[in-house]
Amino acid sequence: MGGGATRLHSVLAQTLSNNSPLSLPSSHLGSCQRADANLDQVFCQEQKGSPLCPPDPVDLLRQCEEALRDRPQRIHRKFTHLSEGNGASSSPIRVMQWNILAQALGEGLDSFVNCPMEALSWSRRKYLILEEILTHRPHILCLQEVDHYYDTFQPVLSGLGYSSSFCPKPWSPCLDVEGNNGPDGCALFFDQSRFEFLDSVNIRLSAMRIPTNQVSVVTVLRCRSTGKYLCVAVTHLKARSGWEWLRSAQGSDLLRHLQNLIQKHPSGPVGSPFSDIPLLICGDFNAIPTEEVYRRFAASPLGLDSAYKKLSQDGLTEPEYTTWKIRPTGECCTTLDYIWYSQDSLRVDAVLNMPTEEQIGPNRLPSFSYPSDHLSLVCDLSFKEGE
């Protein structure tokens, strides 16, 4: 970056400071202003009327860490590198899946009884979320429970070179919380330097042909380095016990949509590039591995496998947990989040390990160290040779 590197990028200033029209409630103004001041050295801006120069992600990460300097020790995670086929790709595709916890739900409805309200404030959590994303720098980023898309994630990540699509829930529970920032939904981001956008569709998932409150974003991309196509979906299925049948129906509906998309349409051109396209499906399924919706994905004719099974010794077992929280009803430690991929076309090169119980801490998630009750899933994928 040039000599203007000490000035704040105007987009970030509008989205991460309280001078924005979409500011935080007055109860958060003091702490937010102190934290936002730490980002004043991150981005540069050209003269008025000229394009904004891209921020340096390393500088932004450093400033996020500075804004969070008073927090307990950060959770550090390492990658497990896998030796499959001819070895890891020299240029893998990094994918991140994460339910980031909607701000309105964290503060208003989710009742994390061991988490101080200060740790749930947006003035703190936005830096923790951004820090996690910047630490791993994914090429494809799939998020759920996004209720700050338009005022934070879209403009900030756009400044970092990401393009995105967002689909809010039709009846988001966030809207029941006073002072909410709008509905939560699913968001899909991709690195424009790595992928070319081809098409995207927002899907409202159905059960027995009846529309439900859960959604999916499906985007078709072309890899700039290989010229190969990739269909990416992000979703968030119905939560809570007793709704297993609905999750199964929603999962089946998503699989149906994806199968229709990637199959060559009878009226389409011969050799359509969307025929047999590799799939990547990320989401908070709200389903443990023994549930029917998990079995449907595992047994799908689309040939899907779950990336995080690669962490197990037998390669067949999911992690013990992807979420660990304490609510008034008790402690919940289970696996609900997945990265599914086309195993015939894609190879898993590396997987980010899950933190230990000691790293998470006795009060579980979220916390001053981690902004969500769900852990991020990150893996490196590459196209198999000849695919």
Side-chain angles (χ1 to χ4, degrees):
M1 295 175 67
T6 59
R7 286 170 288 152
L8 185 64
H9 188 297
S10 65
V11 173
L12 192 66
Q14 291 172 0
T15 57
L16 293 187
S17 77
N18 289 292
N19 295 325
S20 168
L22 292 170
S23 60
L24 296 171
S26 58
S27 60
H28 296 321
L29 287 180
S31 60
C32 187
Q33 286 171 341
R34 290 193 298 272
D36 287 332
N38 292 299
L39 283 173
D40 286 346
Q41 306 297 317
V42 180
F43 290 129
C44 69
Q45 180 180 0
E46 298 298 325
Q47 294 180 354
K48 186 175 181 180
S50 64
L52 295 170
C53 79
D56 181 348
V58 177
D59 283 345
L60 180 54
L61 176 58
R62 186 183 303 117
Q63 294 300 325
C64 285
E65 292 170 346
E66 173 63 19
L68 297 164
R69 64 187 182 278
D70 62 338
R71 56 106 180 262
Q73 184 177 1
R74 179 184 167 194
I75 296 177
H76 289 278
R77 301 160 66 186
K78 296 182 178 179
F79 279 90
T80 292
H81 295 274
L82 309 167
S83 55
E84 292 187 1
N86 297 323
S89 168
S90 60
S91 183
I93 300 166
R94 177 156 292 181
V95 179
M96 175 183 277
Q97 147 60 32
W98 196 15
N99 179 330
I100 61 173
L101 175 61
Q103 184 60 30
L105 300 184
E107 287 189 304
L109 296 177
D110 277 349
S111 300
F112 300 115
V113 293
N114 285 14
C115 183
M117 284 303 296
E118 184 184 353
L120 293 170
S121 69
W122 185 238
S123 61
R124 176 177 294 270
R125 290 187 63 242
K126 63 186 175 186
Y127 292 98
L128 285 165
I129 295 170
L130 189 56
E131 178 188 51
E132 182 81 356
I133 295 169
L134 290 167
T135 295
H136 300 298
R137 302 273 301 274
H139 299 105
I140 295 172
L141 173 63
C142 296
L143 302 179
Q144 299 86 41
E145 292 199 22
V146 179
D147 61 349
H148 276 273
Y149 175 78
Y150 291 107
D151 70 324
T152 300
F153 294 107
Q154 190 278 331
V156 171
L157 293 176
S158 176
L160 292 169
Y162 288 89
S163 182
S164 61
S165 298
F166 174 66
C167 184
K169 294 176 184 175
W171 314 304
S172 168
C174 292
L175 299 177
D176 295 330
V177 178
E178 185 178 356
N180 68 78
N181 199 61
D184 76 300
C186 293
L188 193 157
F189 298 82
F190 67 89
D191 182 348
Q192 296 180 87
S193 69
R194 186 64 185 270
F195 290 100
E196 175 189 359
F197 173 85
L198 296 180
D199 195 14
S200 187
V201 61
N202 289 348
I203 299 171
R204 184 174 176 184
L205 299 175
S206 295
M208 297 179 290
R209 299 187 178 183
I210 300 173
T212 70
N213 194 37
Q214 278 62 48
V215 298
S216 177
V217 178
V218 181
T219 299
V220 180
L221 305 170
R222 180 189 287 116
C223 179
R224 296 187 187 276
S225 60
T226 65
K228 295 179 179 179
Y229 297 85
L230 184 64
C231 179
V232 186
V234 54
T235 195
H236 188 188
L237 303 186
K238 173 64 180 177
R240 296 188 174 84
S241 177
W243 293 98
E244 291 82 1
W245 67 272
L246 183 55
R247 286 192 286 272
S248 180
Q250 290 172 338
S252 296
D253 190 45
L254 177 56
L255 289 170
R256 178 181 62 83
H257 278 287
L258 293 172
Q259 190 161 12
N260 289 340
L261 175 65
I262 65 174
Q263 286 180 338
K264 184 167 60 178
H265 195 278
S267 61
V270 176
S272 167
F274 301 103
S275 177
D276 299 324
I277 183 172
L279 282 169
L280 183 63
I281 309 165
C282 300
D284 175 1
F285 280 58
N286 277 305
I288 60 176
T290 56
E291 267 199 40
E292 183 179 359
V293 65
Y294 181 95
R295 296 196 298 269
R296 284 184 181 272
F297 271 72
S300 166
L302 295 172
L304 302 172
D305 199 5
S306 174
Y308 261 73
K309 286 161 52 177
K310 299 293 184 182
L311 284 180
S312 63
Q313 291 186 346
D314 60 6
L316 301 173
T317 309
E318 295 287 353
E320 291 184 27
Y321 49 83
T322 63
T323 180
W324 201 340
K325 68 201 86 175
I326 301 175
R327 286 174 168 153
T329 52
E331 191 163 356
C332 173
C333 175
T334 191
T335 292
L336 303 176
D337 309 89
Y338 307 96
I339 297 176
W340 296 94
Y341 67 99
S342 296
Q343 56 186 324
D344 291 338
S345 305
L346 299 171
R347 180 183 70 228
V348 180
D349 296 323
V351 181
L352 184 66
N353 293 334
M354 286 297 171
T356 64
E357 178 179 359
E358 183 180 5
Q359 287 178 299
I360 290 173
N363 292 330
R364 310 315 185 199
L365 304 173
S367 67
F368 281 111
S369 297
Y370 203 80
S372 176
D373 55 324
H374 289 252
L375 294 158
S376 65
L377 309 186
V378 185
C379 68
D380 290 345
L381 298 165
S382 56
F383 294 102
K384 287 186 175 181
E385 295 298 326
E387 298 297 333

